[in-house]
Amino acid sequence: MSIKSITALIFVVLCIAISSADIWSYCPGNIDATFTIDTLTVSPDPPLIGKAAFVKLAGVLNDAVTEGESVFSLQYYIDGAWRDLPTFKNDVCKLLSCPVEPGPLVFNTTINVPFITPPGQYQGTLQLTDQNSKNISCLTFATTLAYSI
């Protein structure tokens, strides 16, 4: 699987998690976060393995971001236990055009969920930090991915 496919999978899992308020929450200790999520929609909801997902994220950014890092930790439930998948670190500015000025922020994208994604339960954490290692936001989630019927 290519890095691009893995990154797309991670983003889709995160977006699925964020789109339903009952499966995501801010991390315990999500102190002084500079980004607040107002809405996140995914269509179809939930996304389906092997299909395109259309994502729209809207929120408010309180501080400018000139660079930053995302750390995405993911687990997959198999054989009665949660198994760690690789942790991914990415440049925030690869998804957004930096600098990002404070104020309303809207992000739209289309993600193809790779057909090789195993169906099942996923959980994880996404930590975003800015150029000063300040918390942009931290989220935890749990969700299930499946094939279309």
Side-chain angles (χ1 to χ4, degrees):
M1 183 183 300
S2 73
I3 294 297
K4 191 172 185 177
S5 294
I6 292 169
T7 302
L9 171 62
I10 289 168
F11 188 73
V12 168
V13 171
L14 173 65
C15 289
I16 295 165
I18 295 172
S19 68
S20 299
D22 60 336
I23 60 174
W24 77 273
S25 62
Y26 289 108
C27 298
N30 188 42
I31 307 297
D32 298 325
T34 61
F35 181 69
T36 304
I37 297 170
D38 292 329
T39 61
L40 191 143
T41 58
V42 179
S43 179
D45 183 10
L48 301 170
I49 296 171
K51 304 290 182 184
F54 306 96
V55 180
K56 181 177 182 178
L57 171 69
V60 177
L61 183 64
N62 294 324
D63 296 332
V65 175
T66 58
E67 60 183 67
E69 180 180 64
S70 67
V71 178
F72 188 78
S73 303
L74 186 63
Q75 293 181 315
Y76 177 65
Y77 192 79
I78 188 168
D79 294 331
W82 288 104
R83 310 289 182 191
D84 289 333
L85 297 176
T87 296
F88 295 93
K89 293 182 180 182
N90 290 298
D91 182 347
V92 169
C93 297
K94 287 187 178 181
L95 287 175
L96 301 170
S97 296
C98 290
V100 181
E101 296 301 322
L105 176 66
V106 176
F107 177 75
N108 296 302
T109 192
T110 300
I111 306 292
N112 292 312
V113 182
F115 71 92
I116 61 172
T117 303
Q121 297 175 338
Y122 292 84
Q123 68 180 14
T125 302
L126 176 70
Q127 174 69 58
L128 302 165
T129 54
D130 69 9
Q131 62 277 0
N132 299 313
S133 298
K134 187 175 178 183
N135 181 30
I136 296 172
S137 194
C138 182
L139 302 169
T140 62
F141 66 90
T143 192
T144 300
L145 290 178
Y147 292 104
S148 64
I149 297 175

